[in-house]
Amino acid sequence: MNIYKNGYIVDTVNNINIASVTKQVYLNSFGKLGINTLMDVFKGDIVIPVFRLYLLYDNEQVRMDASEDFISGDLSIQYQSGQRRSMNITLANIDDKWNPKPITGLIWTGSKFRLDTGILIKDTLYWKQQGVFLVKDPQSARENSNQTISLSLCDKFGLLDGTVYGRTSLKTIVPVGVPMYQAFNVLLNSDRGNGVPFDFKPILFNTRHKNTLTYYTIKQEGGNTLGEIFTDMGDTISSDVYYNEFGNMIVKSIVNEFISANFPVVYRFNENDKDIISASINYNTSQTRNKITVKGAIVNGYQFSATAKNRNPKSDYCIQYNGEIPEYISDSKLYADELCMDRAMYELINYTRGSKTLNLSCTYLPVLDINQSVLVYYPSLGLYNENYIIDAISMSISSDAKTVLTLTNTNEVIF
């Protein structure tokens, strides 16, 4: 494992200094470098992965740097509402330092960690934050004289969906006619049962639907989870609900981006470059739908509705080539034709993503995230500068880290 310590990148396995560092740039600094610089770095001969693990207080301020005990791990990011980021890590547990204990121990169920991934360019270390994670299931182990602890972690949505701490017994009610942004805030700031709100951080909310009013009474009752309520509310405004790399809840619709094909390319892959290890294409035809009809509420005898169809001739699954493959959705919380159309487009995109995926096994690439666009030139697979959207990322956390990407061709999801 390569970590930063006292001005050096240190290989903790061999206990040697690999390189000196004179400057660090924080937050998601890769985006400031530009695509050409990124490609020069990650397609070069020597790429040194660097990792940093922080234990956090509940308010997400740094409690301690745990990097020296960090042995290995893996990170997964999956496009979906709800839990999007997960991580497994192994720590050296010398003198039972990391044994889980409530109150007196360093960690317990729900303890928070933060992962940063880095890259050295000349003498500057650039960092990208990869998420705020909650401890779910610790497992201690001893092999000969080596004592370790393995932790399974989820992102902060685990506080809301029952993964961590179970289901709340409290009741929160949001009445009809409240702006959606306010409704989300009321629920997220409600007491989780110990006098502390579910989250301290602000919500980054979809501007288009920030003032859309609730059409129904939102109730958090015993046995329900906030996670179920949040994703249900997100469906009403055709938005994903999830946590980003900084631990902020995001409520965002990507329908407009797909309609306008507004996905700036952040990276380019070429078949014979050193950053690609292998590639394959998978077809998942059974999950595909190319016509979505949404039926909403009935008001004064009129039922709100809309239909979205895939008629893009560049898509292998368009109606012209396959006939109609329909799906019908009924949601009485949709009280306008516009909301029904947004939902139909949203569902059409989600049904189509993954229908035909490109899987790339790559070297260490900490710069990428879900819903970013990359350009792929891979002639042996019949791909000539094709634009792809990222569906999933998995990354090993080690000195020889690798990244696996799952991507959907944007031709399949632009209608």
Side-chain angles (χ1 to χ4, degrees), residues 66-360:
S67 302
E68 288 195 68
D69 294 327
F70 198 6
I71 296 175
S72 63
D74 58 77
L75 169 71
S76 296
I77 314 172
Q78 179 77 39
Y79 169 69
Q80 61 187 20
S81 271
Q83 288 189 39
R84 183 167 286 199
R85 298 169 183 268
S86 61
M87 183 169 66
N88 298 295
I89 59 175
T90 299
L91 303 176
N93 192 25
I94 300 170
D95 297 328
D96 298 325
K97 174 181 179 180
W98 293 103
N99 278 5
K101 291 182 180 179
I103 304 177
T104 60
L106 283 176
I107 61 169
W108 186 241
T109 302
S111 294
K112 293 180 179 178
F113 283 90
R114 171 182 137 191
L115 175 70
D116 295 354
T117 54
I119 187 72
L120 186 69
I121 302 176
K122 297 180 180 179
D123 59 353
T124 300
L125 185 53
Y126 291 85
W127 290 106
K128 183 181 191 301
Q129 191 168 319
Q130 293 287 0
V132 175
F133 299 89
L134 309 176
V135 173
K136 293 192 303 179
D137 304 314
Q139 181 181 25
S140 298
R142 183 185 291 274
E143 183 176 349
N144 299 324
S145 61
N146 297 320
Q147 187 167 358
T148 62
I149 187 166
S150 297
L151 304 177
S152 175
L153 305 103
C154 61
D155 67 27
K156 288 167 59 178
F157 209 87
L159 270 179
L160 309 174
D161 66 6
T163 301
V164 178
Y165 292 132
R167 296 169 181 258
T168 179
S169 60
L170 302 178
K171 293 185 178 181
T172 302
I173 299 176
V174 179
V176 173
V178 173
M180 275 288 185
Y181 177 68
Q182 181 181 335
F184 270 85
N185 273 287
V186 167
L187 292 168
L188 199 60
N189 288 304
S190 61
D191 185 349
R192 73 186 192 202
N194 58 355
V196 177
F198 282 92
D199 204 349
F200 298 93
K201 287 188 172 180
I203 301 173
L204 305 181
F205 206 89
N206 180 1
T207 302
R208 181 181 178 191
H209 290 297
K210 199 168 187 178
N211 295 314
T212 298
L213 301 180
T214 57
Y215 184 64
Y216 58 103
T217 300
I218 299 167
K219 296 181 180 181
Q220 180 195 354
E221 300 179 314
N224 290 341
T225 69
L226 271 182
E228 293 166 337
I229 296 171
F230 280 135
T231 54
D232 195 42
M233 291 165 64
D235 285 343
T236 302
I237 53 175
S238 303
S239 297
D240 298 327
V241 183
Y242 62 97
Y243 276 92
N244 70 1
E245 64 270 38
F246 298 114
N248 290 92
M249 176 176 277
I250 305 294
V251 182
K252 181 180 180 181
S253 172
I254 57 171
V255 171
N256 287 338
E257 283 93 332
F258 279 100
I259 291 174
S260 62
N262 183 25
F263 288 100
V265 172
V266 299
Y267 199 80
R268 293 191 293 269
F269 290 102
N270 295 298
E271 180 170 2
N272 296 317
D273 286 351
K274 295 179 180 179
D275 53 349
I276 296 182
I277 299 171
S278 63
S280 63
I281 295 178
N282 288 350
Y283 294 83
N284 303 299
T285 305
S286 60
Q287 75 170 50
T288 303
R289 304 292 184 270
N290 58 21
K291 177 185 175 183
I292 307 293
T293 298
V294 174
K295 298 290 186 179
I298 300 174
V299 177
N300 296 327
Y302 176 81
Q303 184 168 29
F304 300 108
S305 65
T307 297
K309 298 180 180 181
N310 178 1
R311 293 189 176 277
N312 179 10
K314 293 183 179 180
S315 167
D316 289 346
Y317 294 98
C318 68
I319 287 174
Q320 297 93 305
Y321 304 153
N322 301 274
E324 293 185 353
I325 310 173
E327 187 72 30
Y328 295 89
I329 295 170
S330 179
D331 189 339
S332 61
K333 297 183 294 297
L334 302 175
Y335 57 92
D337 288 335
E338 181 183 10
L339 290 175
C340 290
M341 178 53 77
D342 283 350
R343 179 70 173 278
M345 289 297 300
Y346 176 75
E347 297 291 349
L348 185 59
I349 290 166
N350 286 339
Y351 270 110
T352 308
R353 287 183 79 157
S355 59
K356 178 184 176 183
T357 60
L358 172 65
N359 305 295
L360 293 178

